[in-house]
Amino acid sequence: MTTILTLSKCGMIAAGIWRFPVTTRPSFQILYALYSICIQVYLAIFVVSMVIRFAILSIHENHPTKESVDLLFTAFAYLISFLVTQIKAVICQTKPLRRIICYIIEEEENLSNSGDEEILAYHRRQIALDKKINWAIFYFTALLGSAAIVSNAFLRVSIGQLNSASNSTVRRPFVYELYYYKVDTEKRASILVILNAFSVLVAILMGVSTQSIFLTCIIFASSVLKALQVKLKKMSVGDNDMTVTLAGLVKEHQRVVRFIKQLNEAVKHLMLMDYFLNAMNMALVMLLFLEAETGMQFASCVFYSGRMMVIIFALGWTSNEIKVQSQGLADAIYESGWYERPLSVRRLLHMMILRAQRPLALTIGPFDEMTIQSSLTIMKAAYTYGTVMMQKYQRE
């Protein structure tokens, strides 16, 4: 059966960061555990190598040229992306997020067993939305990786032909600027090209899976809030003991509040990183976009900016939906005919209405709430950063 976690689970298994059993066969589970260790050790070494190489490029560049500055900006953009991905990969395997995933599995089963067509229809729409967003991120990421490989291949061939024709020794760059300790990059070029291509695959798997699970959790929060709204509006239908029914809904409301608070604790610092780093990345892409000289470089910038925009606005939209649905709880209680209830029931409903006046929301670190307006602010900040960087670059 298709669930809201199906796509995210597949991505996390492929990336080696799914911390639940993937099979009932112990031998296969051991193999997966070994695969998980290998892929994450590789990612850690990869990120450290990128940091060292970027530091070398920054320190040794005394007389920057256009090519060296473009290389530095590209290396910085990739480094930011991989640092954030590495942090997200670690958080995906922590106990708080595992508890959130367990809650989603349990509550989704309850939604499926509710039998209410309005609840099921809304949840199906949320599953469809989750698929569309995550597939969009996957397509843009895969296209970006493919464009990076093809663009780098053409660049290496053209530089190789230039070196042969002019008997020069211009360095041929790889897709990712990595630090190779005591390795002759020209003699080991074929092996390093394969290593870079494998690194692109790891980047796609990790980048998509770590982003996917957080978006899925945020989207699911809207489903449980909507289900609670429907139950509150329809609680009078077939209820013999209204107080017992409402007490159950109060407990369910408390569980939802705890879930969203736990989710916020798990993602608020990532929201803060995404808020600033996405703005910086978009600014870097703007600069690289203007400096693109080939079709593949232009395509890489388009795919990178497309991926970033999908993530930025998906985070804003889905986070905003949590706030909207939590505010709708008070309206749902009002529409349930609260004024016709016994006094004990009205008191419970009054308490729920008061609690619903403080809408649930995901925050950007300890600061403001994440909403559509926050996404627009990120884009404005990216434009500001990009303008400043371009002015400085043109002066130099």
Side-chain angles (χ1 to χ4, degrees), residues 191 202-203 223 233 240 277 310 332:
I191 296 175
V202 173
S223 285
K233 284 191 292 186
N240 297 320
L277 297 182
V310 169

Side-chain angles (χ1 to χ4, degrees), residues 260-329:
I260 294 177
K261 285 184 176 179
Q262 289 173 355
L263 178 60
N264 186 51
E265 286 298 315
V267 305
K268 67 180 182 180
H269 299 300
L270 290 177
M271 290 281 194
L272 183 61
M273 282 193 302
D274 280 343
Y275 186 87
F276 290 106
L277 297 182
N278 285 344
M280 184 63 70
N281 265 343
M282 287 297 294
L284 288 169
V285 171
M286 286 171 57
L287 186 59
L288 294 173
F289 193 97
L290 295 175
E291 296 297 322
E293 296 179 348
T294 66
M296 291 311 299
Q297 289 176 343
F298 181 82
S300 296
C301 293
V302 170
F303 298 144
Y304 197 96
S305 58
R307 180 180 186 273
M308 296 303 298
M309 289 180 69
V310 169
I311 292 173
I312 290 169
F313 284 103
L315 283 173
W317 182 18
T318 54
S319 299
N320 192 75
E321 191 66 16
I322 292 177
K323 185 177 180 179
V324 171
Q325 292 298 341
S326 67
Q327 288 175 324
L329 289 174

Side-chain angles (χ1 to χ4, degrees), residues 15 131 180 192 303 312 361:
K131 286 182 178 179
Y180 302 106
L192 297 180
F303 298 144
I312 290 169

Side-chain angles (χ1 to χ4, degrees), residues 110-223:
N110 293 336
L111 292 180
S112 300
N113 296 334
S114 67
D116 189 291
E117 187 53 39
E118 186 177 353
I119 293 174
L120 294 174
Y122 183 83
H123 186 53
R124 284 194 293 268
R125 290 198 296 272
Q126 293 300 92
I127 292 176
L129 173 65
D130 178 74
K131 286 182 178 179
K132 289 176 182 177
I133 292 174
N134 287 319
W135 275 117
I137 294 172
F138 173 78
Y139 287 140
F140 275 115
T141 307
L143 288 170
L144 173 62
S146 302
I149 291 174
V150 174
S151 177
N152 184 254
F154 279 118
L155 181 60
R156 289 182 61 81
V157 169
S158 62
I159 292 177
Q161 292 174 345
L162 178 64
N163 287 342
S164 299
S166 59
N167 197 26
S168 58
T169 56
V170 178
R171 180 182 175 274
R172 294 185 294 174
F174 297 96
V175 177
Y176 297 122
E177 284 297 320
L178 304 176
Y179 174 68
Y180 302 106
Y181 180 68
K182 292 184 179 181
V183 173
D184 189 327
T185 56
E186 288 302 317
K187 290 183 178 180
R188 298 287 185 266
S190 299
I191 296 175
L192 297 180
V193 166
I194 294 172
L195 180 65
N196 263 245
F198 177 73
S199 300
V200 171
L201 177 61
V202 173
I204 292 171
L205 289 175
M206 282 293 181
V208 173
S209 61
T210 53
Q211 192 66 56
S212 172
I213 186 62
F214 291 110
L215 281 168
T216 298
C217 292
I218 294 170
I219 291 171
F220 182 77
S222 299
S223 285

